[in-house]
Amino acid sequence: MRALLFGLLVSTAAAAQQPAATITVESTGEYAIAPLARDAALAAEQAIERAKQQALRGAVEKASGVFLQADSQTRNNALVLDRVVTNASGYIKSFEVTSKVVEKGVAKVTVKAVVANDTLEKDIKAARGIVGRLLGSKLLVVMQEQLMDDKGVASRSEYLPTALTNKFKEAGFQIIDEKGTGSSDLNLVLSSGIGQGKLDAKEIAKRSDADFIIYGTANVRYVPPDPKATMGYPEVDPVTGKQVTFFVTGDYDLSMFATRTGQQLSKQSGRLNVNYASKSEILVSYQRTASFAVEASSKTVVSSFFGSVFEWLRDQDVNGAKLTVRVGGIVFDDVEDVEKSLAVVEGVKDLKAGEFADGTQDFVVQFMGNAGDFSKALKNASIKKRKLVVTAVRNNLVEVTVAK
């Protein structure tokens, strides 16, 4: 009887520790209706739909907050939350709209949503693990940016690279100084609209110990004001004739590489967004407007790049990393034996033989770990009683020779 009672208490306590399968959360989302829209009804309808999506995202954020607050590692809760709620709709089991109003040009929607609580907790734990691995990663930003005023005079500026480095630094990345890489000697292609190539990124990687590289171009320039887009603000005061507002536009073309594998993780191209509704952003100078535009756009760029790194690491956790294993000191008749030896190394999921030349055979290996982990896993590998000896590990390349 005591044993039965003890077992019942244990099972009850274990059940109490498990999160409820679902949780019902109420949340409100808001979205401004586009000003001066040609079709006011359509603009209002679109704003209501976006407000509803904001409300659903907010519901998932509220549900996530319970788990995030209970975790002592709060430094990067924002990053963890950002990755989880990216797929907010995936956690919504059902919902009903309890309120929908349009007031003073803003649509407000309130929803009561049923959130998959147990799935959410599992994904938060997984996301925290990946974000934790990214802390301290070294990032190099190599970028050429120019600002062109209304007279066509161009000057060097650093609004976007500064904004990017600041935000990644806040997220826990170590920022590497470009000046220490010798990158200015590489004769990189940095003209407008043309980013650096893969070989250029690898060349930069050789000159630094960065884990990731962001590179590319940005251009900020004067644009004649469009009354509809600029809220009707005049560029010149009709009384004094002095310039009172400063309008700019701009674009960026950026790529992000993982130096360890030489893999391009993401490419971001887009236009800078100026919030003309906030008049203080455009009253001082072109530089001031450009600074605000870049600051707003950089949030989207950083979130997207961080998401690419996150998904890259998650994919490696599931499918492994692609490594090149270069085996030297063999003849062609040894290739099959080497392939069999590598295929049984613990952690190898797939193996493909490449070209054989001058006593060297390349293999592309899908491995659950990085190049360093693979080199350690090779300690017992051999062919014809001859050990495979690791001679070099560089990024995603492992060089091996067959002992005599």
Side-chain angles (χ1 to χ4, degrees):
M1 182 68 179
R2 288 183 179 178
L4 179 62
L5 179 60
F6 178 75
L8 180 61
L9 290 172
V10 170
S11 62
T12 302
Q17 292 176 356
Q18 298 298 319
T22 62
I23 183 174
T24 301
V25 181
E26 189 171 77
S27 175
T28 299
E30 298 183 1
Y31 201 89
I33 300 173
L36 304 177
R38 292 182 179 179
D39 190 332
L42 178 60
E45 183 181 333
Q46 292 173 339
I48 290 172
E49 176 60 28
R50 291 184 178 181
K52 184 186 76 176
Q53 296 304 319
Q54 290 287 353
L56 293 174
R57 179 185 173 102
V60 175
E61 288 182 352
K62 282 187 177 181
S64 301
V66 176
F67 303 119
L68 293 174
Q69 289 173 7
D71 197 314
S72 59
Q73 303 176 39
T74 59
R75 178 182 177 186
N76 282 281
N77 277 348
L79 292 176
V80 173
L81 185 61
D82 181 63
R83 297 324 311 157
V84 171
V85 300
T86 295
N87 183 35
S89 61
Y91 302 108
I92 303 294
K93 304 285 287 185
S94 63
F95 72 92
E96 63 172 312
V97 175
T98 59
S99 173
K100 181 172 61 176
V101 297
V102 175
E103 198 172 63
K104 296 181 180 180
V106 177
K108 295 182 181 180
V109 175
T110 300
V111 301
K112 183 179 287 186
V114 179
V115 181
N117 209 35
D118 50 354
T119 304
L120 184 59
E121 184 190 30
K122 291 177 184 177
D123 287 356
I124 286 175
K125 287 181 178 179
R128 185 173 293 290
I130 295 176
V131 169
R133 285 158 53 193
L134 283 172
L135 294 182
S137 295
K138 297 178 181 178
L139 173 69
L140 172 65
V141 178
V142 182
M143 192 188 271
Q144 179 171 296
E145 179 186 283
Q146 69 173 8
L147 171 66
M148 187 172 294
D149 63 20
D150 59 328
K151 298 178 178 59
V153 178
S155 59
R156 179 77 182 268
S157 57
E158 295 187 354
Y159 298 114
L160 188 54
T162 299
L164 294 182
T165 54
N166 286 342
K167 284 181 171 52
F168 272 105
K169 189 174 182 178
E170 291 171 3
F173 283 70
Q174 293 185 49
I175 305 302
I176 295 180
D177 187 359
E178 176 188 347
K179 298 180 179 63
T181 66
S183 57
S184 59
D185 301 329
L186 300 178
N187 193 27
L188 303 174
V189 180
L190 287 169
S191 59
S192 177
I194 304 176
Q196 295 161 286
K198 190 171 182 178
L199 293 177
D200 294 324
K202 285 188 173 181
E203 191 64 28
I204 295 174
K206 291 178 183 178
R207 298 171 183 246
S208 74
D209 61 347
D211 299 302
F212 303 99
I213 298 171
I214 294 176
Y215 65 87
T217 62
N219 296 280
V220 185
R221 58 190 177 277
Y222 162 79
V223 59
D226 177 354
K228 290 184 178 180
T230 58
M231 309 290 289
Y233 297 141
E235 185 176 21
V236 177
D237 187 312
V239 177
T240 64
K242 292 183 178 181
Q243 185 170 359
V244 292
T245 49
F246 299 82
F247 302 106
V248 301
T249 186
D251 52 71
Y252 54 87
D253 183 10
L254 306 173
S255 296
M256 187 175 197
F257 263 81
T259 60
R260 196 169 67 200
T261 63
Q263 180 181 352
Q264 180 175 287
L265 303 181
S266 180
K267 185 175 178 63
Q268 301 292 323
S269 298
R271 297 182 68 82
L272 301 179
N273 297 315
V274 180
N275 180 18
Y276 291 112
S278 178
K279 194 175 180 182
S280 63
E281 297 185 7
I282 57 176
L283 289 178
V284 180
S285 65
Y286 293 118
Q287 290 80 3
R288 171 84 173 218
T289 308
S291 178
F292 275 109
V294 165
E295 178 64 24
S297 300
S298 65
K299 295 176 183 177
T300 301
V301 174
V302 170
S303 178
S304 182
F305 274 145
F306 184 84
S308 298
V309 176
F310 184 92
E311 293 302 325
W312 175 67
L313 285 176
R314 183 156 64 181
D315 180 69
Q316 288 192 347
D317 287 345
V318 176
N319 300 311
K322 283 188 178 180
L323 309 175
T324 298
V325 181
R326 184 162 295 157
V327 183
I330 59 175
V331 296
F332 185 73
D333 288 343
D334 294 328
V335 171
E336 185 175 352
D337 292 324
V338 173
E339 185 171 1
K340 289 179 180 178
S341 181
L342 295 178
V344 297
V345 172
E346 185 177 358
V348 171
K349 295 189 65 175
D350 190 28
L351 176 70
K352 293 181 181 179
E355 294 183 356
F356 175 85
D358 299 326
T360 300
Q361 173 70 47
D362 278 357
F363 296 91
V364 176
V365 178
Q366 196 85 14
F367 177 72
M368 299 302 295
N370 58 35
D373 296 329
F374 182 80
S375 65
K376 295 174 184 177
L378 279 177
K379 61 182 180 181
N380 297 321
S382 62
I383 65 165
K384 299 174 183 177
K385 298 182 179 181
R386 296 155 61 197
K387 288 186 66 65
L388 299 182
V389 181
V390 176
T391 58
V393 179
R394 294 194 297 272
N395 296 327
N396 66 326
L397 172 65
V398 179
E399 295 186 5
V400 178
T401 188
V402 179
K404 296 181 179 179

